[in-house]
């Protein structure tokens, strides 16, 4: 039997171990120095984690690898969208080059589960979707990628928007997107009926960007809950951002989270300065994933393809100091994302450190550090990334030919 040994690694920062892989799965975990035969990957005492999951990234707008440009957007989703629309075609490299380069850098830093957005609107048509599909195809052996067709410009402000979204779902997108049903389209019932209708038509999941303030966010969330229940879409809906929900009085938020738990509605965060109450979501067993959002694009100069860096940012914006809380962020950045993606169950609370047991997928990352919390603080470069049991990156570079 051909097996691979991850020699002298510390699963979740624990005891030095030899982790035996059988094909694309973890087979056994033995004490380090086991002498087990097989191809060896040198762990050198590094920490073994499940590989990172970025479940909220806009690959379609990335400018990673291009010259830095001054930010030219003005406040508000619609104005920011117009700024992107005015500029994206003028980038120094093709969009397919940009999406492929950025996804490659994400993989090289340890991310192998990705939910990326592809903006679809009457300006771009399916051009951005095609570029994201090209990146997914190029890196198919290195990462699992879901594509969300994202109506960034709304569905009701420009004729033909809903039709483009429908076409995107028929042309390779996996998830139907929605955005600020009250604030952007100003007709939340119609907006959400289109989104849920297309999800039903295409048998797809839903992911809704919610940047709305407190009571407006709550109102939109209640309409989402209502439709999730009516159409029996339990476990198939994600609310992204939801900053405003974090500002609700605790009683109102708890009442909403009860319904999210009942309907298994997931959440995705990008670690903003007004974070979702991370530990409260863990208490309710809400599936929570982390993402980089836009990266050095026409929306934001932040983002560097590194989910360990974004995990640091999430710990920082939450004000976490205790090791347990920082390790929980690492769990959100790895297995939490997979739970949003649909390939793992929700974390069972803030102490849960799953993903490294016999039978789990050999989608893994080795990172340097004394402890998991130290690894998040230091964000070292000495990493090795495995996807389906094969090394796909080492030392922040893709293994084999550059893609
Ligand atoms: Zn976003």
């Amino acid at each position: 039997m051909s097996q691979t040994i991850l020699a002298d690694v510390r699963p979740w920062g624990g005891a030095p171990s030899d982790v035996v892989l059988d094909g694309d799965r973890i087979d056994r975990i033995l004490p380090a120095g086991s002498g087990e035969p097989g191809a060896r990957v040198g762990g050198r005492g590094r920490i073994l984690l499940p590989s990172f999951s970025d479940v909220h990234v806009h690959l379609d707008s990335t400018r990673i690898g291009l010259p830095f440009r001054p930010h030219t957007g003005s406040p508000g989703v619609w104005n920011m969208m117009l700024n992107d629309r005015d500029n994206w075609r003028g980038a120094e490299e093709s969009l397919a080059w940009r999406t492929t380069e950025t996804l490659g850098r994400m993989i090289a830093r340890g991310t192998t589960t990705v939910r990326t957005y592809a903006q679809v609107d009457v300006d771009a048509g399916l051009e951005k979707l095609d570029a994201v599909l090209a990146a997914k195809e190029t890196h198919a052996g290195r990462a699992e990628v879901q594509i969300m067709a994202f109506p960034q410009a709304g569905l009701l402000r420009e004729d033909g928007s809903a039709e483009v979204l429908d076409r995107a779902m028929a042309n390779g997108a996996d998830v139907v997107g929605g955005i600020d049903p009250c604030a952007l389209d100003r007709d939340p019932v119609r907006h959400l009926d289109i989104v849920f209708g297309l999800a039903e038509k295409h048998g797809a999941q839903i992911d809704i960007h919610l940047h709305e303030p407190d009571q407006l966010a709550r109102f939109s969330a209640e309409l989402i809950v209502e439709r999730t229940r009516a159409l029996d879409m339990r476990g198939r809906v994600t609310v992204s951002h939801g900053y405003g929900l974090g500002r609700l009085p605790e009683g109102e938020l708890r009442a909403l989270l009860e319904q999210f738990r009942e309907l298994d509605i997931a959440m995705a965060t990008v670690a903003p300065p007004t974070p979702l109450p991370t530990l409260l979501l863990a208490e309710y067993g809400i599936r929570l994933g982390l993402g980089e959002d836009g990266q050095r694009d026409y929306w934001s100069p932040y983002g560097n393809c590194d989910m360990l860096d974004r995990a640091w940012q999430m710990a920082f914006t939450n004000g976490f100091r205790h090791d347990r809380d920082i390790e929980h962020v690492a769990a959100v950045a790895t297995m939490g994302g997979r739970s949003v993606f649909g390939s793992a169950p929700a974390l069972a609370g803030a102490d849960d450190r799953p993903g490294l047991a016999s039978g789990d997928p050999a989608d893994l990352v080795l990172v340097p550090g004394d402890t998991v919390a130290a690894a998040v603080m230091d964000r070292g470069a000495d990493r090795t990334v495995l996807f389906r049991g094969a090394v796909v990156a080492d030392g922040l570079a893709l293994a084999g030919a550059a893609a």
Side-chain angles (χ1 to χ4, degrees), residues 56-58 117 150 152 209 211 240-241 270 293-294:
H56 189 118
V57 62
H58 296 259
Y117 300 147
F150 183 40
Q152 179 83 68
H209 272 62
H211 314 93
S240 278
H241 301 310
V270 299
D293 215 4

Side-chain angles (χ1 to χ4, degrees), residues 76-316:
V77 169
W78 183 255
N79 289 330
M80 290 289 288
M81 187 282 296
L82 289 177
N83 177 56
D84 180 278
R85 195 177 269 186
D86 285 345
N87 289 291
W88 73 274
R89 285 193 172 87
E92 296 84 340
E93 294 283 354
S94 74
L95 192 50
W97 183 92
R98 289 152 56 199
T99 56
T100 304
E101 170 72 16
T102 297
L103 181 56
R105 290 193 193 202
M106 290 166 64
I107 295 163
R109 284 153 185 76
T111 299
T112 68
T113 299
V114 178
R115 179 181 284 180
T116 175
Y117 300 147
Q119 181 174 336
V120 293
D121 62 20
V122 296
D123 166 65
L126 302 188
E127 272 184 72
K128 295 184 178 182
L129 173 65
D130 289 343
V132 173
L133 282 165
K136 175 178 176 171
E137 172 68 24
T138 299
H139 294 295
R142 304 185 182 103
E144 198 173 352
V145 177
Q146 274 180 354
I147 301 174
M148 188 264 254
F150 183 40
Q152 179 83 68
L155 289 167
L156 305 173
R157 297 174 68 123
E158 299 174 307
D159 286 344
S161 300
E163 288 73 16
V164 181
L165 183 57
D166 190 12
R167 275 201 290 132
M169 293 311 300
N171 281 274
D174 307 293
V175 181
V176 183
I179 178 169
D180 295 340
C182 296
L184 188 59
D185 272 342
R186 304 178 72 85
D187 190 342
V189 167
R190 249 178 96 204
H191 180 98
L192 290 172
D193 283 349
I194 292 170
V195 170
F196 277 82
L198 288 176
E200 211 180 15
K201 174 177 172 184
H202 295 281
Q205 293 191 46
I206 288 172
D207 192 328
I208 295 172
H209 272 62
L210 203 55
H211 314 93
E212 296 170 344
D214 41 39
Q215 290 301 331
L216 215 50
R218 180 185 166 200
F219 181 65
S220 289
E222 285 173 349
L223 293 179
I224 291 166
V225 162
E226 200 176 278
R227 280 152 185 75
T228 304
R229 184 177 284 118
L231 296 173
D232 194 19
M233 287 205 56
R234 191 180 185 284
R236 299 179 59 75
V237 176
T238 302
V239 173
S240 278
H241 301 310
Y243 317 118
L245 303 179
R247 291 212 174 103
L248 289 173
E250 191 177 332
E252 291 182 20
L253 178 57
R254 283 184 179 273
L256 195 59
L257 292 182
E258 283 289 349
Q259 300 187 78
F260 278 26
R261 173 161 62 187
E262 179 205 334
L263 296 165
D264 195 12
I265 292 174
M267 300 201 73
T269 183
V270 299
T274 53
L276 292 164
T278 304
L279 297 177
L280 189 64
L281 296 181
E283 181 189 321
Y284 277 80
I286 305 293
R287 291 179 291 132
L288 174 66
L290 181 63
E292 289 242 44
D293 215 4
Q295 302 192 74
R296 278 204 180 206
D297 58 11
Y298 304 97
W299 298 73
S300 164
Y302 294 91
N304 58 5
C305 303
D306 188 355
M307 284 300 292
L308 194 54
D309 197 56
R310 186 51 56 110
W312 177 90
Q313 191 176 330
M314 182 171 173
F316 183 73

